[in-house]
Amino acid sequence: MERNSCLGGKKIVREHGLIPFFKLMAEDGVNTSGLWFVCIGTDRSSGDSLGPLTGTLLMEAGYANVIGTLAEPCDSDRLPRLLQRIPAGAVVLGIDACVGRPEAVGYFRLAREPIEPGRSMGRPLPPVGDWSIAAIVCENKGNPAFVLQRTPLNRVLTMARDIVKAVQNVFPLAVAEESMKR
């Protein structure tokens, strides 16, 4: 399933492909202090909770530039307003759940382009990010809202943890704090 393409398009990977993705971001000059995580989704649907779960885990790990947590989800109603918090010139990583083909469930779609939240639901929301991660949490069969509500929460939480572990590996906070002291 893993596709080896440059990130000018999209790349579909398992969790071990997240670290190379973040390393590519770092090689492009992205650092912890300038990186904003926009974690899209709601806490009212297991499948669509990937964003708020990831955001909460990032905040608990000490990352400050996070929009979208369980306490304050970045859902379709709040997204345009919450995006206004991001300072000009910041690098944004959009993170969201999505539906996909059965063989792609559990994979991540990585791209060096914005994510299009709400696309499968037919909602016109603004694209988010300079970089993006779409976690394929369930199979696309019929009504995406119904399918997302019936997605196993364990799968979603595991994928959120995989994203946070990869962030911590490539953008550790201790390094960021040390470089700020200099």
Side-chain angles (χ1 to χ4, degrees):
M1 181 71 201
E2 202 151 318
R3 294 188 207 152
N4 292 322
S5 62
C6 69
L7 285 174
K10 295 177 175 90
K11 185 174 183 179
I12 308 289
V13 302
R14 279 289 194 191
E15 68 280 354
H16 64 271
L18 292 167
I19 289 175
F21 174 71
F22 286 117
K23 285 183 177 178
L24 184 62
M25 290 175 66
E27 289 168 9
D28 200 45
V30 177
N31 60 50
T32 307
S33 61
L35 178 59
W36 279 73
F37 301 93
V38 177
C39 304
I40 303 158
T42 181
D43 62 339
R44 297 173 185 241
S45 166
S46 59
D48 203 25
S49 66
L50 176 104
L53 284 168
T54 304
T56 297
L57 294 170
L58 286 165
M59 293 280 290
E60 288 175 353
Y63 293 86
N65 300 336
V66 177
I67 293 175
T69 63
L70 290 171
E72 188 179 10
C74 183
D75 58 23
S76 60
D77 295 332
R78 297 179 180 125
L79 177 66
R81 179 176 41 86
L82 292 174
L83 290 177
Q84 295 174 4
R85 293 183 184 173
I86 302 170
V91 175
V92 176
L93 173 64
I95 301 170
D96 199 2
C98 71
V99 296
R101 294 187 312 254
E103 67 273 13
V105 172
Y107 284 76
F108 299 90
R109 188 178 69 223
L110 313 175
R112 189 175 185 169
E113 59 189 40
I115 199 159
E116 297 178 43
R119 183 175 173 198
S120 67
M121 309 289 235
R123 292 190 179 159
L125 296 170
V128 176
D130 303 293
W131 301 77
S132 60
I133 298 176
I136 305 166
V137 298
C138 60
E139 183 179 347
N140 184 7
K141 42 180 173 169
N143 181 343
F146 179 75
V147 173
L148 284 168
Q149 287 176 351
R150 300 182 51 82
T151 301
L153 185 56
N154 185 56
R155 178 185 306 139
V156 177
L157 181 58
T158 298
M159 294 181 84
R161 286 180 175 148
D162 289 340
I163 294 169
V164 174
K165 281 190 262 181
V167 168
Q168 290 174 309
N169 183 292
V170 179
F171 298 110
L173 288 177
V175 172
E177 292 168 3
E178 196 59 39
S179 66
M180 303 238 346
K181 292 178 185 175
R182 293 182 191 157

